[in-house]
């Protein structure tokens, strides 16, 4: 295989991204290695996202536009996979954008190799402040971030293994990408930040009441797929006991009873001691402190966090 033999599809997922979609698509069509096709799946936006994307259709003939019902990003990702005619696929959300070398640097290690998945670091844009999320497997556990958007996949990882994103829920990546990672024997890390992720600071507080229950659905999906217990235990602790509990507290939409009940429900899924080495070796000191504090003095932990969230900083 060479660059000339490549077949790469970029799947763009958009819903009400009219303020970002032009920057997103400009970054896709400005790649140093061009995609064979770009598939934009719009989940029935009520703004001008699709209309702005149509302007690119007049210029770039390899752009395909598709509108679908809004049953969540999982449905849009699945549709993009099914429509793709390429051997390799990657995803980008409509409010994010790509480094110019994203496709080239992710595809290069896949040429004439045993690898069928590549992934890179992520730039996080929070309120205009950029930071890098490190995905180096030597420095961080791969399952800490289960994003589909900083990776290039062989399409067959999804189709041959019948692995699809769940619909109607948030956290569709967390329900799916661990299955993909465990289905491939050979993946390769590209030590560059090539994906720019825009973090909406208001999204958690505005919608987390729904997201909290969706996380429990994700855990149920993972539990039914007979994955490696070491992996699922870590996901339950990191994304559930720590991540979900923390966001429920910060959202201020839940009573202390609801938060403690959710914590205990998730804890029942963990089949090992939550402070065993197989878990703690992949957690930072800060996360360990939070986990220990909430496990022993949950109401005090919530009061302390709420005090800090009320502070002006």
């Amino acid at each position: 295989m060479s660059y000339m033999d490549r077949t790469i599809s970029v799947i763009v997922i958009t819903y009400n991204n009219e303020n970002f979609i032009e920057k997103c698509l400009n970054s896709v069509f400005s790649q140093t290695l061009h995609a064979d096709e770009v598939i934009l799946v719009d989940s029935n936006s009520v703004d001008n996202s699709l209309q702005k994307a149509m302007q690119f259709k007049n210029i770039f003939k390899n752009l395909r536009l598709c509108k679908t019902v809004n049953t969540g990003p999982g449905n849009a990702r699945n549709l993009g996979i099914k429509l793709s005619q390429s051997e390799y696929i990657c995803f980008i959300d409509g409010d994010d954008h790509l480094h110019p070398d994203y496709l080239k640097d992710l595809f290069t290690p896949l040429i004439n190799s045993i690898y069928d998945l590549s992934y890179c670091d992520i730039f996080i844009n929070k309120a205009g402040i950029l930071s890098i999320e490190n995905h180096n497997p030597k420095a961080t556990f791969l399952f800490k971030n289960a994003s589909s958007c900083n990776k290039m996949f062989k399409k067959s990882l999804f189709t041959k293994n019948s692995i699809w994103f769940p619909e109607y829920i948030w956290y569709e990546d967390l329900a799916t990408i661990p299955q993909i990672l465990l289905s491939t024997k050979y993946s390769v890390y590209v030590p560059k930040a090539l994906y720019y992720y825009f973090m909406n600071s208001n999204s958690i507080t505005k919608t987390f009441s729904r997201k909290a229950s969706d996380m429990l659905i994700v855990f149920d999906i993972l539990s039914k797929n007979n994955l490696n217990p070491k992996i699922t235990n870590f996901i339950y602790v990191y994304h559930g006991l720590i991540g979900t509990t923390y966001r429920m507290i910060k959202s201020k939409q839940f009573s202390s009873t609801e938060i403690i009940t959710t914590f205990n429900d998730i804890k029942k899924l963990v089949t090992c001691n939550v402070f065993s080495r197989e878990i703690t070796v992949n957690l930072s000191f800060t996360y360990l402190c939070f986990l220990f504090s909430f496990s022993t003095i949950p109401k005090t932990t919530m009061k302390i966090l709420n005090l800090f969230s009320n502070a002006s900083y």
Side-chain angles (χ1 to χ4, degrees):
M1 184 191 300
S2 67
Y3 283 120
M4 296 300 295
D5 301 321
R6 73 188 190 278
T7 50
I8 303 172
S9 294
V10 177
I11 300 169
V12 184
I13 307 301
T14 184
Y15 174 69
N16 290 349
N17 295 135
E18 65 176 3
N19 294 326
F20 306 97
I21 192 61
E22 289 174 302
K23 184 174 183 178
C24 172
L25 289 176
N26 276 324
S27 75
V28 171
F29 289 110
S30 299
Q31 291 291 299
T32 53
L33 176 65
H34 299 302
D36 293 273
E37 62 177 355
V38 178
I39 302 170
L40 184 143
V41 183
D42 180 85
S43 296
N44 203 24
S45 293
V46 295
D47 65 1
N48 293 315
S49 297
L50 192 57
Q51 288 81 354
K52 290 189 174 183
M54 285 180 180
Q55 298 174 12
F56 287 81
K57 177 67 175 175
N58 296 327
I59 303 172
F60 300 101
K61 302 307 179 184
N62 62 335
L63 173 61
R64 301 170 64 187
L65 302 178
C66 177
K67 189 171 184 178
T68 185
V69 294
N70 184 13
T71 56
N75 170 56
R77 296 194 198 285
N78 291 337
L79 181 57
I81 295 170
K82 292 172 183 176
L83 290 175
S84 168
Q85 299 178 9
S86 299
E87 183 178 1
Y88 293 90
I89 60 173
C90 53
F91 300 96
I92 176 172
D93 290 340
D95 52 356
D96 300 334
H97 64 281
L98 306 175
H99 185 283
D101 292 330
Y102 176 85
L103 292 180
K104 177 176 71 67
D105 286 351
L106 284 184
F107 183 68
T108 297
L110 301 179
I111 301 174
N112 298 323
S113 74
I114 59 174
Y115 302 117
D116 47 21
L117 186 155
S118 58
Y119 59 98
C120 63
D121 297 333
I122 299 176
F123 274 115
I124 306 291
N125 182 342
K126 184 176 182 180
I129 300 174
L130 283 180
S131 61
I132 294 179
E133 185 174 76
N134 188 342
H135 286 247
N136 187 336
K138 294 181 179 179
T140 187
F141 194 46
L142 187 57
F143 293 86
K144 277 188 176 180
N145 184 299
S147 172
S148 62
C149 289
N150 66 325
K151 300 173 177 68
M152 183 174 288
F153 309 86
K154 266 191 176 178
K155 178 183 173 180
S156 59
L157 287 175
F158 292 91
T159 55
K160 285 189 176 181
N161 295 299
S162 296
I163 298 175
W164 303 100
F165 294 91
E167 301 181 19
Y168 298 102
I169 65 169
W170 295 86
Y171 299 114
E172 78 288 345
D173 281 358
L174 185 58
T176 309
I177 299 305
Q179 298 181 62
I180 293 292
L181 293 174
L182 291 170
S183 70
T184 175
K185 295 180 180 178
Y186 305 106
S187 61
V188 57
Y189 165 65
V190 177
K192 297 180 181 179
L194 300 168
Y195 189 92
Y196 289 80
Y197 168 70
F198 176 75
M199 180 179 289
N200 185 341
S201 60
N202 294 322
S203 61
I204 289 175
T205 56
K206 286 185 176 178
T207 64
F208 197 74
S209 58
R210 177 185 169 192
K211 289 185 178 182
S213 59
D214 283 357
M215 184 65 85
L216 297 176
I217 297 173
V218 167
F219 293 158
D220 183 61
I221 292 172
L222 292 174
S223 69
K224 292 177 179 177
N225 278 281
N226 298 317
L227 304 183
N228 184 330
K230 181 179 178 181
I231 304 302
T232 52
N233 282 332
F234 176 80
I235 290 173
Y236 298 152
V237 172
Y238 182 77
H239 293 282
L241 297 183
I242 297 173
T244 299
T245 304
Y246 176 79
R247 292 187 179 97
M248 289 179 75
I249 296 170
K250 296 287 283 185
S251 73
K252 298 182 179 180
Q253 298 180 37
F254 303 88
S255 68
S256 59
T257 301
E258 289 174 312
I259 296 171
I260 293 171
T261 299
T262 300
F263 181 92
N264 289 331
D265 286 344
I266 296 173
K267 191 175 181 180
K268 292 175 184 176
L269 298 172
V270 184
T271 58
C272 67
N273 188 315
V274 296
F275 296 103
S276 64
R277 177 167 174 74
E278 70 177 77
I279 299 293
T280 59
V281 70
N282 294 305
L283 296 178
S284 68
F285 179 73
T286 301
Y287 289 153
L288 278 173
C289 289
F290 174 82
L291 182 60
F292 178 79
S293 177
F294 196 90
S295 297
T296 53
I297 47 172
K299 291 187 177 180
T300 301
T301 304
M302 286 185 270
K303 288 179 181 178
I304 293 173
L305 281 176
N306 284 326
L307 282 174
F308 277 105
S309 66
N310 289 330
S312 57
Y313 58 91

